[in-house]
Amino acid sequence: MGLPEPPPPHALALPADTFAGQTVAVTGGGTGLGRAIALAFARLGAAVAVLSRSEAHRSAGVAALRQLGGQALGVACDIRDAAQVAAAFDAVEAALSRPAVLVNNAAGNFPSPAEDLSPNGWRAVVDIVLNGTFLCSREFARRHIAAQSGAGASIINIGASYAWTGGPGFAHSAAAKAGVKNLTETLAVEWAPYGIRVNGLAPGLFPHQDESADIRAVPGRGPHSAEEQSTPAQRCGRPHELGWAATWLASPYAAYVSGHTLVVDGANWQRRTLRQPAFTPIRQQLGKPPFTLD
Ligand code: HXC
Ligand code: NAP
């Protein structure tokens, strides 16, 4: 049985005009979970800007958003580069308006035993996940603080539950997500006086059509039917469930919620068994041959 299915994607959990007249910027909003989150904001009246590197990804997101009848804009941006981030915010402000909400969703990730990770592989993931989140948050906040508009603003950082537990096979991403969770807590305090709330949202198992081949091949992530039976909820998350969580966190109905990271995973990360299964080292789980120095 497990946890019931949610209402369908087009159902509204908040008043239809909750974000009317506001601009929401979603990094990596052209694919996967970022796109589902972008669509949820559009359904509630927001104009949405999709910031990412690939034109194909951005266009897919913008097309889906425009299908809903909303305003949407794709902006080329590698979030690792502060100058590109500033230029992207300029473009969003010129075409739409200063974003009232920033969703730091973009991420890079691939499975690897830590001893196999090249310095550049480590850097690439930490740079996107942690440094990119900081650079976008900084740009967003500086513009709000300078504008002194009195209007509230909100940042949602997309995380992962291995921020708390560590993530064997994902040392780079887990460490970066732990940094993002910690950054969420610091920035929430620093920027509350300026009317900016900062929260995190950590998805559990949310398979989707845009997953990279590296992620799709991770043991335990598929096929979906096997996956669903292995979780307490007996099902995976549906991307639009994250959309509802993100829009609520950014909405006036969460006006006193800041510095919190909300895990949406049907309690999967908290499960324990009375007798632990036999321990399998990560190299073996990933099907890697014994480590050799070369
Ligand atoms: C080992 C790898 C690798 C792999 C890349 N690298 N893929 N090492 N195994 N599968 C190494 C490269 O060899 C290189 O190191 C370094 O990483 C940088 O690679 P580039 O391709 O030059 O970098 P870049 O173009 O910046 O790409 C970043 C990336 C890429 C993270 C490596 O995968 C990417 O752009 N990903 C975006 C999509 C994505 O990852 N989605 C996942 C979202 S998170 P060397 O030393 O050779 O130079 C997610 C969470 C799921 O889905 C939860 C899982 C449990
Ligand atoms: P995804 O489909 O692979 O999307 C990642 C997005 O990030 C892409 O749209 C990509 O766009 C963008 N991106 C990557 N590097 C970038 C960069 N340097 N600059 C700008 N944009 C960049 O991943 P997803 O599964 O939807 O994941 C979304 C978020 O959820 C991530 O934060 C991830 O860690 C988190 N998460 C997902 C799961 C899951 O089950 N899927 C579980 C836990 C956490 P471009 O290629 O166009 O740049």
Side-chain angles (χ1 to χ4, degrees):
M1 218 168 73
L3 296 181
E5 285 293 334
H10 56 79
L12 300 186
L14 293 169
D17 62 350
T18 300
F19 295 99
Q22 295 189 11
T23 295
V24 174
V26 184
T27 66
T31 63
L33 306 186
R35 181 152 88 200
I37 291 169
L39 289 170
F41 278 103
R43 287 190 187 97
L44 297 173
V48 179
V50 172
L51 276 57
S52 85
R53 299 164 301 174
S54 141
E55 163 60 26
H57 288 165
R58 293 194 304 275
S59 317
V62 166
L65 287 159
R66 289 195 179 142
Q67 263 192 352
L68 292 180
Q71 262 188 301
L73 175 75
V75 184
C77 179
D78 187 325
I79 60 166
R80 293 172 281 193
D81 180 336
Q84 287 190 42
V85 170
F89 273 76
D90 283 343
V92 176
E93 280 199 36
L96 301 171
S97 62
R98 191 175 62 249
V101 178
L102 166 67
V103 183
N104 283 308
N105 163 83
N109 200 1
F110 54 82
S112 173
E115 66 274 18
D116 288 359
L117 256 178
S118 72
N120 200 32
W122 168 271
R123 245 190 317 267
V125 171
V126 174
D127 223 5
I128 298 170
V129 174
L130 180 56
N131 299 345
T133 295
F134 174 70
L135 292 177
C136 292
S137 302
R138 172 185 181 275
E139 193 60 47
F140 176 88
R142 285 164 66 85
R143 288 167 191 249
H144 267 281
I145 295 166
Q148 293 189 317
S149 72
S154 185
I155 297 175
I156 310 289
N157 294 323
I158 306 303
S161 60
Y162 52 37
W164 287 270
T165 61
F170 296 94
H172 44 12
S173 171
K177 293 289 193 188
V180 168
K181 178 187 165 289
N182 185 279
L183 183 65
T184 299
E185 289 149 9
T186 299
L187 298 183
V189 174
E190 287 202 21
W191 293 343
Y194 304 112
I196 302 171
R197 293 185 298 112
V198 188
N199 287 294
L201 180 58
L205 275 170
F206 276 80
H208 57 77
Q209 70 291 346
D210 297 321
E211 276 174 347
S212 66
D214 283 338
I215 296 297
R216 202 181 295 275
V218 170
R221 283 193 70 84
H224 299 179
S225 56
E227 205 55 69
E228 309 199 71
Q229 281 153 24
S230 78
T231 67
Q234 310 267 288
R235 70 172 177 87
C236 296
R238 311 299 176 213
H240 59 281
E241 290 183 276
L242 275 187
W244 289 320
T247 50
W248 175 73
L249 276 174
S251 79
Y253 304 94
Y256 204 50
V257 179
S258 196
H260 184 70
T261 295
L262 175 66
V263 181
V264 178
D265 85 335
N268 196 30
W269 76 296
Q270 279 149 332
R271 70 193 192 169
R272 298 285 182 277
T273 47
L274 293 179
R275 175 173 291 150
Q276 297 286 359
F279 179 76
T280 310
I282 198 66
R283 289 200 81 79
Q284 215 171 310
Q285 290 188 51
L286 293 175
K288 300 279 182 189
F291 177 73
T292 52
L293 267 183
D294 50 26

